[in-house]
Amino acid sequence: MSPSPPPSPRSAAAGPADGTGPDDAYAAELARTREFFAVRAADWDARFPDDGPRYAAAVSELALRAGDSVLDAGCGTGRALPPLRAAVGPSGRVLGADVTPEMLHEAAARHTGAAALLLADCARLPLPDAALDAVFAAGLISHLPEPARALGELARVARPGARLALFHPVGRAALAARHGRALTPDDLRAEPRLRPLLAAAGWRLTSYTDVDERYLVLAERTPSGGDPSKR
């Protein structure tokens, strides 16, 4: 007997946080992101088989508590979902959001019951204000059409004092070398560029680590929020 297909994730229309609909350039960038990941979803985890412990270690830095609500923003195939679920326990809530249906299909199949999955653009989440205690985002920043808008949306759905982790299992220099390119001063993930971007969106950067074996930025949701004009 064939196994049942994984449950379909909830869907949210991709677009900006103000609900007016994306402009052509924004929509085109989202489409390119979906196209890139759709054809790689089935074997994505096999390409990076040793990353699991690094994800678990990064999740531990969020200092989650039993009963917390946490979002894995741009969850992909769901590699962070099991450690997130273990951290918040059965009384907690784990959500995974991604804009690529094929990635969410893999997450549902591989991690049944670990999280509620949302087919959604991280710049327009189907969540109420101040709903989350923490946000985990692995490899997300580099794939956002408008990073300031998405970081502002993540701040909207996070309560004051909530924690944010921006993670990649290798550092910027190691990743650049892997792709045969050099780091440039305009790299969005560099601390001098990222710190003011986070601040404008409503986050205070509290820790910055960029070494060969890990990139991890930790931030805290500020009580007053960011500058709405930057979102």
Side-chain angles (χ1 to χ4, degrees):
M1 182 175 181
S2 299
S4 299
S8 298
R10 289 181 56 196
S11 177
D18 61 11
T20 60
D23 59 24
D24 291 343
Y26 188 95
E29 188 64 29
L30 280 184
R32 283 191 289 271
T33 297
R34 289 192 189 97
E35 182 179 5
F36 177 87
F37 285 107
V39 297
R40 293 168 172 82
D43 66 349
W44 187 259
D45 286 4
R47 296 174 62 193
F48 309 102
D50 301 323
D51 285 351
R54 296 184 184 185
Y55 272 76
V59 166
S60 71
E61 298 284 349
L62 274 175
L64 292 165
R65 301 173 292 261
D68 275 353
S69 293
V70 59
L71 169 69
D72 186 354
C75 67
T77 58
R79 285 177 290 178
L81 297 180
L84 289 172
R85 169 52 65 194
V88 304
S91 63
R93 180 173 64 148
V94 179
L95 305 172
D98 203 279
V99 77
T100 305
E102 291 83 357
M103 281 291 199
L104 286 178
H105 181 89
E106 294 297 322
R110 296 168 188 269
H111 307 293
T112 303
L117 300 178
L118 310 172
L119 180 59
D121 176 9
C122 287
R124 186 171 182 242
L125 293 165
L127 298 173
D129 294 353
L132 302 173
D133 299 294
V135 178
F136 183 85
L140 178 68
I141 292 294
S142 300
H143 297 286
L144 293 171
E146 296 184 17
R149 176 188 289 177
L151 289 171
E153 174 69 347
L154 294 178
R156 179 188 69 79
V157 299
R159 64 167 179 79
R163 288 90 63 204
L164 169 69
L166 303 177
F167 168 70
H168 199 283
V170 298
R172 293 188 306 124
L175 185 62
R178 177 187 292 177
H179 293 291
R181 58 177 174 79
L183 286 177
T184 60
D186 63 349
D187 183 355
L188 185 62
R189 298 185 303 150
E191 184 175 6
R193 289 207 62 199
L194 186 60
R195 184 183 291 273
L197 183 68
L198 285 167
W203 299 98
R204 180 178 64 86
L205 192 151
T206 59
S207 175
Y208 184 94
T209 302
D210 183 15
V211 294
D212 281 352
E213 64 273 13
R214 177 163 80 163
Y215 175 88
L216 181 64
V217 173
L218 299 175
E220 183 178 282
R221 177 70 166 90
T222 58
S224 57
D227 179 354
S229 69
K230 303 295 185 182
R231 299 185 185 178

